[in-house]
Amino acid sequence: MTANVKELRNAHKLLAKLEYQPFKVDKGYTNHSLYVNLTDKTFEIKPVTEQMKEIFIGGRGFGLWYLWNAVKSTTKWNDPENEIIISSGPIGGITQYPGAGKSAVVTLSPLTGCPIDCNVGGYFGPLLKFSGFDALEIQGKAEKDVIIFIDGNKGLVTIEEVPDNFEYYDTHQLAEVYTEMFADDEFDKRNVSVVSSGRGAENTLIGMLNFSFYDVKRKAVRVKQAGRGGTGTVFRDKKIRALIVKYKGVTGDSNAPADKQKLINAGLRLHREIYELDKLQNRMREVGTAHLVEVMNDYDLLPVMNCQYGSHPDAVKLSSDVFKEKFFTQGMPDGCWYGCSMACAKAVDNFELKTGPYKGQKVVVDAAEYETIAGVGSDCGIFDPEYVVEANFYCDTYGIDTISFGNIIAFAMECYERGIIDKEVTGGLELKFGNKEAALEVLHQMARGEGFGKIAGMGVKRMREYFVEKLGADPKFLRDISLECKGLEYSHYVSKESLAQQGGYALTNKGPQHDEAWLIFMDMVNKQIPTFEDKAEALHYFPLFRTWFSLNGLCKLPWNDIEPADNAYQPEPNKVPEHVRNYVEIFNGVTGKNITKEDIIKQSERVYNFQRIFNLKMGYGTREYDMPPYRSMGPVTIEEYESRKERYDKQLKDLGYDIEGKTTEEKLKMLREYRENQYQQLVDAVYKRRGWTKNGVPTIEKVKELGIDFPEVIELISKYQD
């Protein structure tokens, strides 16, 4: 430890401390959670009840339950009673099965006003559990910047004020300095995990959180992101500079499973599949999720220029092979938790920054995922991999969500090119598609809370409203081209030709995020769900199955980004039935319970419906909030239609429309009427399948069936029954 870091450690002022006897994990749970109030600097250790475990399981479920009890219907994201909850779940922390180091973050979103949940890797969640807590619940606001430190070996929790001379604000510095500060030596760094954000989270509404892990091969601190909905903005509003957990002694038995052999058996099967098949399937160990760039481009699903188009000839410049050869370090064990042989968390080593406050410095960059490449790259018409890595680094260290950032810049660029905004609005920036220098300048302005970056940092919804109010822009057209729903920016797949994916985005609880349902290939390519009822069934099952990962501390990628060799020949191959059996086995192996694959869906259905009702509590959660922007449903402009004229003309003819002699504007109107009608029919079918009213509210019968018929739930939904 350097002398400077020692001095900084001693300069932190102790405000409050809690000494406790660390609680042992038993069958995936410690049966306790830690509550911290930053306003009055108090702590409380709460029991985790059997009812909580039965109904809410862990992870996202625990977060929603604690938040529900903490806030009122009038609570805003920046009110002191809003909370940040971090919880791993019963499976989180096992080392025998790939992708089992995840945790969930839950808070009220600055973008949506509703609960947001993020599933994030890194070591914090598992180390928090092994330190004795199934969840960390933070409420209130500090007067000055603080850290919260948890020592799971000593049984000590502290709130400490950050000294005035502590000049580190951004994640790549905070994670490194606090890891060094709290580790005893180099080897001990793997036992420390830091949650932090950056100055961008403080000055925008799209802030995100970084969860660290120490890469022993690179001898560098790396991070994974809880990216969506403004989690980092809430974090910095509470004046938290960092959360630090330290726990030494992780073993294969730390989760105290009921039957460890079940975990070993399931893990061996998947490790073998990854070793033998990954190089033949998605090459996750080589390029991570970047392999999707060329796939999406080939199928006309890659967002280009604010999702006007689905492919581009220059997309090859952003292909996974380019990143593999030029940037991604190969041959490293790139898992973000022990035992993950999928190793998809690639990194760029020794990248020299070309702009911003850290210009000239060489850094390790958490390698660009597909969403980042598509968002900050192709969707902005920028096909420069060097720019993508630079923007990725700065988004991460500033604490800015790359998905939202990409959408914001793409939307602003289209507005600029259509004359809706000009240099007077942008502060002199020529914000045209492809202008990487302008995009990076906006990013740095967002971090500083200055210039056009201050407007952009509000997010697409508020930026659109600003253009309407201040500039007199056409509200209908801007709504059509702004890729947000419920206030959250879309993740980066073009859904125009997949009705099911349109629902998969807009019918989400938290907003359009692909971790609920990604049905494009089932629907558009493989034609497996042709009817409204088929689509509704898929939009029932897959969001619930994916919810389950966030309840248990699991990553989605080992489920279907690697598949058994004979999976295509199995019944319902899109569900990857062998892996579903694995999840049943590891849940039972950890908890000692005896659930079935049907119980997985039932467990998720309780939490999913509860989250929908939570939206209702906050003033949302009805049908009107499930309406997507038309850009996600079909072509908005003449240019869009004519870029795929043969496709759209054929569709109209096949539907029985007479298009002979019709103008493009007339054909656009025909297509729009048809697609919007189709979407409304889909919504009816989905609500019916989910057991909701036609207004999108769970019925009293449904909540009773699920066992979430708490008095306040019944009172709330009774007002909305048909």
Side-chain angles (χ1 to χ4, degrees), residues 306-357:
N306 199 32
C307 287
Q308 292 180 83
Y309 316 109
S311 62
H312 196 281
D314 288 340
V316 66
K317 298 176 182 178
L318 298 178
S319 72
S320 60
D321 284 338
V322 170
F323 282 96
K324 177 188 174 184
E325 297 303 322
K326 289 189 176 183
F327 300 106
F328 294 176
T329 307
Q330 298 296 308
M332 289 283 194
D334 285 319
C336 64
W337 177 243
Y338 298 107
C340 187
S341 55
M342 182 161 273
C344 67
K346 313 312 296 179
V348 179
D349 293 322
N350 299 310
F351 182 79
E352 185 171 341
L353 298 167
K354 301 170 185 61
T355 68

Coordinates of all heavy atoms in Angstrom, one line a residue, residues 306-357:
N306 N -30.3 6.0 -35.4 CA -31.5 6.1 -34.6 C -32.5 5.1 -35.0 O -33.7 5.4 -35.1 CB -32.0 7.5 -34.6 CG -33.0 7.8 -33.4 OD1 -32.8 7.2 -32.3 ND2 -34.0 8.6 -33.6
C307 N -32.1 3.9 -35.3 CA -33.0 2.8 -35.7 C -33.8 3.1 -37.0 O -34.8 2.5 -37.2 CB -33.9 2.4 -34.6 SG -33.1 1.6 -33.2
Q308 N -33.3 4.0 -37.8 CA -34.0 4.2 -39.1 C -33.8 3.0 -40.0 O -34.7 2.6 -40.7 CB -33.4 5.5 -39.8 CG -33.8 6.8 -39.1 CD -33.2 8.0 -39.9 OE1 -33.8 8.5 -40.8 NE2 -32.0 8.4 -39.4
Y309 N -32.6 2.4 -39.8 CA -32.2 1.3 -40.7 C -31.7 0.1 -39.8 O -31.4 0.3 -38.6 CB -31.2 1.7 -41.7 CG -31.5 3.0 -42.3 CD1 -30.8 4.2 -42.1 CD2 -32.6 3.1 -43.2 CE1 -31.1 5.4 -42.6 CE2 -32.9 4.4 -43.8 CZ -32.2 5.5 -43.5 OH -32.5 6.7 -44.0
G310 N -31.6 -1.1 -40.4 CA -31.2 -2.2 -39.7 C -29.9 -2.9 -40.1 O -29.5 -3.9 -39.5
S311 N -29.2 -2.2 -41.0 CA -27.9 -2.7 -41.5 C -27.2 -1.6 -42.2 O -27.8 -0.6 -42.5 CB -28.1 -3.9 -42.4 OG -28.8 -3.5 -43.6
H312 N -25.9 -1.8 -42.4 CA -25.0 -0.8 -43.0 C -23.8 -1.5 -43.6 O -23.2 -2.4 -42.9 CB -24.6 0.3 -42.0 CG -24.1 1.5 -42.7 ND1 -22.8 1.7 -43.1 CD2 -24.7 2.7 -42.9 CE1 -22.7 2.9 -43.6 NE2 -23.8 3.5 -43.5
P313 N -23.3 -1.1 -44.7 CA -22.1 -1.7 -45.3 C -20.9 -1.6 -44.4 O -20.0 -2.4 -44.4 CB -21.9 -1.0 -46.6 CG -23.3 -0.4 -47.0 CD -24.0 -0.1 -45.7
D314 N -20.8 -0.5 -43.7 CA -19.6 -0.2 -42.8 C -19.7 -1.0 -41.5 O -18.8 -0.9 -40.7 CB -19.5 1.3 -42.5 CG -19.0 2.0 -43.8 OD1 -18.5 1.4 -44.7 OD2 -19.2 3.3 -43.8
A315 N -20.8 -1.7 -41.2 CA -20.9 -2.5 -40.0 C -19.7 -3.5 -39.8 O -19.4 -3.8 -38.7 CB -22.2 -3.2 -39.9
V316 N -19.1 -3.9 -40.9 CA -18.0 -4.8 -40.8 C -16.9 -4.2 -40.0 O -16.1 -5.0 -39.4 CB -17.6 -5.2 -42.3 CG1 -17.0 -4.0 -43.0 CG2 -16.6 -6.4 -42.2
K317 N -16.8 -2.9 -40.0 CA -15.7 -2.2 -39.2 C -15.9 -2.4 -37.7 O -15.0 -2.1 -37.0 CB -15.6 -0.8 -39.6 CG -15.3 -0.5 -41.1 CD -15.3 1.0 -41.4 CE -15.1 1.2 -42.9 NZ -15.2 2.7 -43.2
L318 N -17.1 -2.8 -37.3 CA -17.4 -3.0 -35.9 C -17.6 -4.5 -35.6 O -18.2 -4.8 -34.5 CB -18.7 -2.2 -35.5 CG -18.6 -0.7 -35.6 CD1 -19.9 -0.1 -35.2 CD2 -17.5 -0.1 -34.8
S319 N -17.2 -5.3 -36.5 CA -17.5 -6.8 -36.3 C -16.6 -7.3 -35.1 O -15.6 -6.7 -34.7 CB -17.1 -7.5 -37.6 OG -15.7 -7.6 -37.8
S320 N -17.0 -8.5 -34.6 CA -16.3 -9.1 -33.5 C -14.9 -9.4 -33.8 O -14.0 -9.3 -33.0 CB -17.1 -10.3 -33.0 OG -17.1 -11.3 -34.1
D321 N -14.6 -9.8 -35.1 CA -13.2 -10.1 -35.5 C -12.3 -8.9 -35.4 O -11.1 -9.0 -35.1 CB -13.2 -10.7 -36.9 CG -13.7 -12.1 -36.9 OD1 -13.7 -12.8 -35.9 OD2 -14.1 -12.6 -38.0
V322 N -12.9 -7.7 -35.7 CA -12.1 -6.5 -35.6 C -11.7 -6.2 -34.1 O -10.6 -6.0 -33.8 CB -12.9 -5.3 -36.1 CG1 -12.2 -3.9 -35.8 CG2 -13.0 -5.4 -37.6
F323 N -12.7 -6.4 -33.2 CA -12.4 -6.2 -31.8 C -11.5 -7.3 -31.3 O -10.6 -7.0 -30.5 CB -13.7 -6.1 -31.0 CG -14.4 -4.8 -31.1 CD1 -15.4 -4.6 -32.1 CD2 -14.0 -3.7 -30.3 CE1 -16.1 -3.4 -32.2 CE2 -14.7 -2.5 -30.4 CZ -15.7 -2.3 -31.4
K324 N -11.7 -8.5 -31.7 CA -10.8 -9.6 -31.3 C -9.3 -9.3 -31.7 O -8.4 -9.5 -30.8 CB -11.3 -10.9 -31.9 CG -10.3 -12.1 -31.5 CD -10.7 -13.3 -32.2 CE -9.7 -14.4 -31.9 NZ -9.9 -15.7 -32.7
E325 N -9.1 -8.9 -32.9 CA -7.7 -8.8 -33.4 C -7.1 -7.5 -32.9 O -5.9 -7.5 -32.6 CB -7.7 -8.8 -34.9 CG -8.2 -10.1 -35.5 CD -7.4 -11.3 -35.1 OE1 -6.2 -11.2 -34.9 OE2 -8.0 -12.4 -34.9
K326 N -7.8 -6.4 -32.8 CA -7.2 -5.1 -32.5 C -7.3 -4.8 -31.0 O -6.4 -4.0 -30.5 CB -7.9 -4.0 -33.3 CG -7.6 -4.1 -34.8 CD -8.1 -2.8 -35.5 CE -7.7 -2.7 -36.9 NZ -8.2 -1.5 -37.6
F327 N -8.3 -5.3 -30.3 CA -8.5 -4.8 -28.9 C -8.6 -5.8 -27.9 O -7.9 -5.8 -26.9 CB -9.8 -3.9 -28.9 CG -9.8 -2.8 -29.9 CD1 -10.5 -2.8 -31.0 CD2 -9.0 -1.6 -29.6 CE1 -10.5 -1.7 -31.9 CE2 -8.9 -0.6 -30.4 CZ -9.7 -0.6 -31.6
F328 N -9.4 -6.8 -28.0 CA -9.7 -7.8 -26.9 C -8.5 -8.6 -26.6 O -8.0 -9.3 -27.5 CB -10.9 -8.6 -27.2 CG -12.2 -7.9 -27.4 CD1 -13.4 -8.6 -27.7 CD2 -12.3 -6.6 -27.1 CE1 -14.6 -8.0 -27.8 CE2 -13.5 -5.9 -27.2 CZ -14.7 -6.6 -27.6
T329 N -8.0 -8.6 -25.4 CA -6.9 -9.5 -25.0 C -7.4 -10.9 -25.0 O -8.5 -11.2 -24.4 CB -6.4 -9.1 -23.6 OG1 -6.1 -7.7 -23.7 CG2 -5.2 -9.9 -23.3
Q330 N -6.7 -11.8 -25.6 CA -7.1 -13.2 -25.7 C -6.3 -14.1 -24.6 O -5.2 -13.7 -24.2 CB -6.9 -13.8 -27.1 CG -7.7 -13.1 -28.1 CD -9.2 -13.2 -27.9 OE1 -9.7 -14.4 -27.8 NE2 -9.9 -12.1 -27.9
G331 N -6.9 -15.2 -24.4 CA -6.2 -16.2 -23.5 C -6.2 -15.9 -22.0 O -5.4 -16.5 -21.3
M332 N -7.1 -15.0 -21.6 CA -7.2 -14.7 -20.2 C -8.5 -15.3 -19.6 O -9.5 -15.4 -20.4 CB -7.3 -13.1 -20.0 CG -6.0 -12.4 -20.3 SD -4.9 -12.6 -18.9 CE -3.7 -11.3 -19.3
P333 N -8.5 -15.7 -18.4 CA -9.7 -16.2 -17.7 C -10.6 -15.1 -17.4 O -10.7 -14.7 -16.2 CB -9.1 -17.0 -16.5 CG -7.9 -16.2 -16.2 CD -7.3 -15.7 -17.5
D334 N -11.4 -14.7 -18.3 CA -12.2 -13.4 -18.2 C -13.6 -13.7 -17.5 O -14.6 -13.1 -18.0 CB -12.4 -12.8 -19.5 CG -11.1 -12.1 -20.0 OD1 -10.4 -11.5 -19.2 OD2 -10.8 -12.2 -21.2
G335 N -13.6 -14.4 -16.5 CA -14.9 -14.5 -15.7 C -15.0 -13.4 -14.7 O -14.0 -13.0 -14.1
C336 N -16.2 -12.9 -14.4 CA -16.4 -11.9 -13.4 C -16.9 -12.5 -12.1 O -17.3 -11.7 -11.2 CB -17.4 -10.8 -13.9 SG -19.1 -11.3 -14.2
W337 N -16.8 -13.8 -11.9 CA -16.9 -14.5 -10.6 C -16.2 -15.8 -10.7 O -16.1 -16.4 -11.8 CB -18.4 -14.6 -10.2 CG -18.6 -15.4 -8.9 CD1 -19.2 -16.6 -8.7 CD2 -18.1 -15.0 -7.6 NE1 -19.1 -17.0 -7.4 CE2 -18.5 -16.0 -6.7 CE3 -17.4 -13.9 -7.2 CZ2 -18.1 -15.9 -5.3 CZ3 -17.0 -13.8 -5.8 CH2 -17.4 -14.8 -4.9
Y338 N -15.8 -16.3 -9.6 CA -15.1 -17.6 -9.6 C -15.9 -18.7 -10.3 O -17.1 -18.8 -10.1 CB -14.8 -18.0 -8.1 CG -13.9 -17.1 -7.3 CD1 -14.5 -16.3 -6.3 CD2 -12.6 -17.0 -7.6 CE1 -13.7 -15.4 -5.6 CE2 -11.8 -16.1 -6.8 CZ -12.4 -15.3 -5.8 OH -11.6 -14.4 -5.1
G339 N -15.2 -19.5 -11.1 CA -15.8 -20.7 -11.6 C -16.5 -20.5 -12.9 O -17.1 -21.4 -13.5
C340 N -16.5 -19.2 -13.5 CA -17.3 -19.0 -14.7 C -16.4 -19.3 -15.9 O -15.6 -18.4 -16.3 CB -17.9 -17.6 -14.8 SG -18.9 -17.4 -16.2
S341 N -16.5 -20.5 -16.5 CA -15.7 -20.8 -17.6 C -16.1 -20.2 -18.9 O -15.4 -20.3 -20.0 CB -15.6 -22.4 -17.8 OG -16.9 -22.9 -17.9
M342 N -17.3 -19.6 -18.9 CA -17.8 -18.9 -20.2 C -16.8 -17.7 -20.5 O -16.6 -17.4 -21.7 CB -19.2 -18.4 -20.0 CG -19.7 -17.7 -21.3 SD -21.5 -17.6 -21.3 CE -21.9 -19.2 -22.1
A343 N -16.3 -17.1 -19.5 CA -15.2 -16.1 -19.6 C -15.5 -15.1 -20.7 O -14.7 -14.8 -21.5 CB -13.9 -16.8 -19.9
C344 N -16.7 -14.5 -20.7 CA -17.1 -13.6 -21.7 C -16.8 -12.1 -21.4 O -17.0 -11.2 -22.2 CB -18.6 -13.7 -22.0 SG -19.6 -13.2 -20.6
A345 N -16.3 -11.8 -20.2 CA -16.0 -10.5 -19.8 C -14.6 -10.0 -20.3 O -13.7 -9.9 -19.6 CB -16.0 -10.4 -18.2
K346 N -14.6 -9.8 -21.6 CA -13.3 -9.4 -22.3 C -12.8 -8.0 -21.8 O -13.6 -7.2 -21.3 CB -13.5 -9.4 -23.8 CG -14.2 -10.7 -24.3 CD -13.7 -12.0 -23.8 CE -12.2 -12.3 -24.2 NZ -11.8 -13.6 -23.6
A347 N -11.6 -7.8 -22.1 CA -11.0 -6.5 -21.7 C -10.0 -6.0 -22.8 O -9.5 -6.8 -23.6 CB -10.2 -6.6 -20.4
V348 N -9.9 -4.7 -22.8 CA -8.9 -4.0 -23.7 C -7.8 -3.5 -22.8 O -8.1 -2.7 -21.9 CB -9.5 -2.9 -24.5 CG1 -8.5 -2.2 -25.4 CG2 -10.7 -3.4 -25.3
D349 N -6.6 -4.0 -23.0 CA -5.5 -3.6 -22.1 C -4.7 -2.5 -22.8 O -4.5 -2.4 -24.0 CB -4.6 -4.8 -21.9 CG -5.2 -5.9 -21.1 OD1 -6.0 -5.6 -20.1 OD2 -5.0 -7.1 -21.4
N350 N -4.2 -1.6 -21.9 CA -3.2 -0.5 -22.3 C -3.8 0.3 -23.4 O -3.1 0.7 -24.4 CB -1.9 -1.2 -22.7 CG -1.2 -1.9 -21.6 OD1 -1.1 -1.4 -20.5 ND2 -0.8 -3.1 -21.9
F351 N -5.1 0.7 -23.3 CA -5.7 1.6 -24.3 C -5.4 3.0 -24.0 O -5.6 3.5 -22.9 CB -7.2 1.4 -24.3 CG -7.9 2.2 -25.4 CD1 -7.9 1.8 -26.7 CD2 -8.5 3.4 -25.0 CE1 -8.6 2.5 -27.7 CE2 -9.2 4.1 -26.0 CZ -9.2 3.7 -27.3
E352 N -4.8 3.7 -24.9 CA -4.4 5.1 -24.7 C -5.5 6.0 -25.1 O -6.0 6.1 -26.2 CB -3.2 5.5 -25.5 CG -2.7 6.9 -25.2 CD -1.3 7.2 -25.8 OE1 -0.6 6.2 -26.2 OE2 -1.0 8.4 -26.0
L353 N -6.0 6.8 -24.1 CA -7.1 7.7 -24.3 C -6.7 8.9 -25.1 O -5.6 9.4 -25.0 CB -7.7 8.1 -23.0 CG -8.2 7.0 -22.1 CD1 -8.5 7.4 -20.7 CD2 -9.5 6.4 -22.7
K354 N -7.6 9.3 -26.0 CA -7.3 10.4 -26.9 C -8.0 11.7 -26.6 O -7.7 12.8 -27.2 CB -7.7 10.0 -28.4 CG -6.9 8.7 -28.8 CD -7.5 8.2 -30.1 CE -6.8 6.9 -30.5 NZ -7.0 5.8 -29.4
T355 N -9.0 11.7 -25.7 CA -9.8 12.9 -25.4 C -10.0 13.0 -23.9 O -9.7 12.0 -23.1 CB -11.2 12.8 -26.1 OG1 -12.0 11.8 -25.5 CG2 -11.0 12.6 -27.6
G356 N -10.6 14.0 -23.5 CA -11.1 14.1 -22.1 C -10.1 14.4 -21.0 O -8.9 14.6 -21.3
P357 N -10.5 14.3 -19.8 CA -9.6 14.7 -18.7 C -8.4 13.7 -18.5 O -7.5 14.0 -17.8 CB -10.5 14.7 -17.4 CG -11.7 13.8 -17.8 CD -11.8 14.0 -19.3

